[in-house]
Amino acid sequence: HCNFHLRDEESMRDERFAKTLCRQLGIEYRKVDFDTLSYAKEKKVSVEMAARELRYDAFRQMKEEYAVPCGAWGRMPFLCFSR
């Protein structure tokens, strides 16, 4: 799950949902926290672009870690990998 911390309680609700769903499906839950606003300011990009860059970087790292031959890209509320 990618938590960009942009929507306060709603972000936390999404995180809890992803964690519960992974548990129900019997697959490992992974979470990545981002300081999206600081990243956007530092890189001088929009919040939307910052979130996209952070998300894609996290997906690339997980893809390498899990040796996934193809990735799931795009806007997804959560991403669960099974081992």
Side-chain angles (χ1 to χ4, degrees):
H1 174 73
C2 296
N3 191 335
F4 300 99
H5 296 280
L6 297 173
R7 298 172 289 128
D8 298 321
E9 178 53 35
E10 191 174 351
S11 291
M12 299 311 296
R13 191 170 45 245
D14 289 348
E15 183 176 313
R16 288 189 300 271
F17 170 79
K19 187 174 186 176
T20 299
L21 180 62
C22 287
R23 187 174 347 126
Q24 290 172 347
L25 295 173
I27 56 180
E28 181 182 356
Y29 171 75
R30 296 286 304 268
K31 177 183 83 154
V32 182
D33 289 292
F34 300 111
D35 186 350
T36 310
L37 296 177
S38 293
Y39 181 92
K41 184 177 179 180
E42 176 186 322
K43 300 291 184 178
K44 296 180 173 54
V45 297
S46 69
V47 172
E48 292 82 4
M49 181 59 74
R52 181 178 301 119
E53 290 176 6
L54 290 165
R55 179 176 64 245
Y56 283 7
D57 285 345
F59 286 175
R60 274 193 274 292
Q61 289 175 7
M62 286 184 198
K63 181 178 180 276
E64 290 174 14
E65 180 181 341
Y66 285 88
V68 177
C70 60
W73 304 99
R75 294 188 62 133
M76 297 170 49
F78 55 88
L79 179 67
C80 297
F81 289 96
S82 59
R83 276 196 179 187

